[in-house]
């Protein structure tokens, strides 16, 4: 099993920055990629970014490219999402997730939330205009 515990988030004005963290524990050696998802109010969950094992590959949703950066600290088993130039449309509940099948970490499949095996508890991000 893999446990994911999130921290960070909160409220910020448009143009501001926030950092989300996700601490992983348990059988982290099983994990082939970590991802961030978000779910705006009354909308479906959507992929934000993913990072492969060792940080070799990353993919981003078009809506956050150039503004968000996904990274990981392997020594601390912690995943991060640096969010800059935040917009009101970034308002959502943000979740980290872990996938143990490398086939689902590709550019084609990474944003499919149903395939992920483990999830963090979620953290709210609110961006005001």
């Amino acid at each position: 099993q893999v446990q994911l515990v999130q921290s960070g988030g909160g409220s910020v004005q448009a143009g501001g920055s926030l950092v989300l963290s996700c601490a992983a524990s348990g059988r982290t050696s099983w994990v082939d990629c970590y991802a961030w998802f978000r779910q705006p109010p009354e909308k479906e969950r959507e992929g934000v970014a993913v990072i492969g094992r060792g940080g070799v590959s990353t993919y981003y949703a078009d809506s956050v490219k150039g503004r968000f950066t996904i990274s990981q600290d392997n020594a601390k088993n912690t995943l991060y999402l640096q969010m800059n130039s935040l917009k009101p449309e970034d308002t959502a509940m943000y979740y980290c997730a872990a996938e143990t099948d490398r086939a689902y970490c590709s550019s084609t499949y990474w944003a499919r939330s149903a395939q992920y095996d483990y999830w963090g508890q979620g953290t709210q991000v609110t961006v005001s205009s």
Side-chain angles (χ1 to χ4, degrees), residues 8 13 16 19 21 24 32 34 37 39 41-42 50 63 80 85 92 97 104-105 108-109 122:
Q13 289 191 328
V19 178
S21 300
D32 280 304
Y34 292 96
F37 285 80
Q39 188 163 15
E42 301 181 358
V50 66
S63 58
Y80 301 98
S85 302
Y104 293 125
C105 298
T108 301
Y109 297 111

Side-chain angles (χ1 to χ4, degrees), residues 87-102:
K87 304 175 181 180
E89 51 263 43
D90 294 318
T91 295
M93 184 70 77
Y94 282 72
Y95 299 89
C96 61
E99 171 59 53
T100 59
D101 188 337
R102 185 174 59 181

Side-chain angles (χ1 to χ4, degrees), residues 6-58:
Q6 296 180 224
S7 59
S11 297
V12 67
Q13 289 191 328
S17 298
L18 286 172
V19 178
L20 304 182
S21 300
C22 175
S25 60
R27 296 190 179 273
T28 56
S29 61
W30 291 357
V31 178
D32 280 304
C33 63
Y34 292 96
W36 288 99
F37 285 80
R38 66 186 182 186
Q39 188 163 15
E42 301 181 358
K43 293 186 179 180
E44 293 187 354
R45 194 169 296 188
E46 60 182 10
V48 175
V50 66
I51 187 166
R53 183 185 290 274
V56 174
S57 59
T58 57

